[in-house]
Amino acid sequence: MRALITTKDGSVEFAEVPEPHRTGSELLVQVSASTVSRGDLHSIRFSPPGRVIGLDVVGVVAEEAADGSGPAAGTRVMGYASTRGGSWAERAALDSHLAVPIPDALSDETAAALPNSGLAALAGLEAGGFLLGSRVLVTGATGGVGRLAIQLAQLAGADVTGLISSPERRAQLRSFDWLTTVTADAADGPYDLIVDLVGGEVLSRALSLVAENGVVASLAQTVPEPASVPFFWFAMHRGARLVSVNNTDGQREAGRGVRRLELLAHLAESGRIDPQVTGAASWEEAADLLAALSRRELDGRTVLRIS
Ligand SMILES: NC(=O)c1ccc[n+]([C@@H]2O[C@H](COP(=O)([O-])OP(=O)(O)OC[C@H]3O[C@@H](n4cnc5c(N)ncnc54)[C@H](OP(=O)(O)O)[C@@H]3O)[C@@H](O)[C@H]2O)c1
């Protein structure tokens, strides 16, 4: 089958590859859409050449899982290919614990932008516990995960602030007229929950903005620099915690991944969240889109049409 594989120079190229190997709980999906996201840049960086990447999966179930779990053949599904990747291909193996039917009213494009980013946003917010009335700061608010995190936090009743890299970037969040935004140097806090999607200096700053007994959820290393813990942090931010969060954690337990994907699909179908798809391009353009993403030139989530 045709697929995009990683190259030595940190990009992707087309190649003929074998059909995906599947475990007993994996569906075979005929892929119609995926996304270009920062996670794909990380996958390329940490993968040997020749690997099929791609995190978000939308398509039709071509073969059911051998153990009978998950949607039946012929069902239009969305899902998360998790750390395995593999959705930038004509067919992909998809864990039935991370795959759900797509409601008729949702387009392939909207559905494709939900799994990876939505599961990450939910996991980051969950780290803060009960959010009604909480002060929540989301860093990297203009990113694909950030835009879903600010909407989900607002739905949960939080008082939400988005941290943006510069005042000019506020224009990217024009559809969120209700949202308070700050830059790192102007943010003062304190915040009960900080969902950090940037890392480096932004995470260092976040640690100095967290409330007593608050949580800083670290999901990302968008920038290459390490973060540092502020001087006397333990004394100035009593009971505060820095926690690592991954959107794959615990998703197979008690149907959690499926319930979360169903929730995201339902919220998007009913117009309560918008994954902010700003473009859809053929997968022939994937290499150019990855380059644009690494230059921070993409505004919102870009969907890849796989054909
Ligand atoms: N832990 C997990 O399970 C998990 C799951 C999904 C994603 N992630 C990670 O979460 C992060 C966000 O993902 P995404 O898909 O939303 O990425 P994205 O769409 O590329 O967004 C990146 C965000 O970071 C900001 N940013 C980039 N470089 C920056 C810099 N030098 N200083 C300050 N801000 C900067 C961007 O702001 P500008 O608008 O100014 O460029 C944007 O808001 C990524 O690192 C991704 O790998 C983690």
Side-chain angles (χ1 to χ4, degrees):
M1 67 174 182
R2 197 163 179 242
L4 282 164
I5 59 166
T6 52
T7 61
K8 271 192 295 213
D9 60 353
S11 187
V12 290
E13 66 184 10
F14 280 103
E16 282 297 318
V17 301
E19 293 289 326
H21 172 75
R22 288 188 291 148
T23 64
S25 65
E26 287 179 329
L27 316 160
L28 182 69
V29 176
Q30 183 74 34
V31 184
S32 56
S34 183
T35 55
V36 180
S37 78
R38 196 153 291 268
D40 299 312
L41 292 175
H42 296 326
S43 299
I44 292 172
R45 182 172 176 193
F46 294 113
S47 300
R51 187 171 161 217
V52 183
I53 61 162
L55 299 169
D56 290 304
V57 185
V58 159
V60 172
V61 178
E63 286 177 25
E64 294 171 24
D67 67 3
S69 60
T75 310
R76 191 170 69 112
V77 292
M78 66 182 217
Y80 181 45
S82 185
T83 44
R84 171 185 175 137
S87 63
W88 291 9
E90 289 177 308
R91 284 169 291 286
L94 179 61
D95 187 344
S96 64
H97 297 88
L98 287 167
V100 296
I102 301 172
D104 289 344
L106 269 196
S107 67
D108 278 9
E109 283 78 11
T110 302
L114 290 170
N116 172 33
S117 297
L119 290 174
L122 285 171
L125 294 172
E126 185 185 38
F130 186 73
L131 293 183
L132 184 64
S134 291
R135 299 157 295 184
V136 173
L137 179 72
V138 177
T139 77
T142 52
V145 180
R147 292 181 199 213
L148 281 171
I150 57 177
Q151 294 172 71
L152 290 163
Q154 198 217 24
L155 272 179
D159 175 8
V160 192
T161 301
L163 192 142
I164 54 179
S165 57
S166 68
E168 294 71 43
R169 290 301 213 198
R170 181 64 176 90
Q172 292 194 5
L173 300 174
R174 55 197 160 273
S175 57
F176 306 111
D177 52 5
W178 49 267
L179 180 71
T180 303
T181 52
V182 287
T183 52
D185 51 351
D188 54 6
Y191 297 99
D192 303 302
L193 170 66
I194 301 177
V195 177
D196 178 50
L197 300 166
V198 180
E201 277 307 305
V202 173
L203 175 54
S204 307
R205 180 79 183 119
L207 289 169
S208 67
L209 298 171
V210 69
E212 280 193 11
N213 300 309
V215 173
V216 178
S218 166
L219 280 88
Q221 193 69 65
T222 303
V223 298
E225 299 83 28
S228 57
V229 178
F231 191 62
F232 268 101
W233 185 68
F234 63 92
M236 307 292 283
H237 302 267
R238 297 185 100 85
R241 288 176 296 133
L242 171 63
V243 298
S244 67
V245 173
N246 285 288
N247 62 2
T248 44
D249 292 349
Q251 302 291 14
R252 290 179 68 95
E253 290 157 22
R256 179 191 266 194
V258 165
R259 280 186 285 114
R260 292 197 157 190
L261 288 170
E262 286 173 346
L263 172 68
L264 292 164
H266 173 66
L267 292 174
E269 180 193 22
S270 57
R272 283 183 284 170
I273 58 169
D274 173 2
Q276 303 265 297
V277 174
T278 45
S282 162
W283 66 334
E284 308 283 340
E285 295 173 47
D288 290 343
L289 291 166
L290 286 168
L293 179 64
S294 61
R295 294 191 300 267
R296 298 165 68 184
E297 289 172 1
L298 297 185
D299 174 359
R301 192 55 91 213
T302 303
V303 167
L304 272 192
R305 292 199 198 96
I306 313 282
S307 54

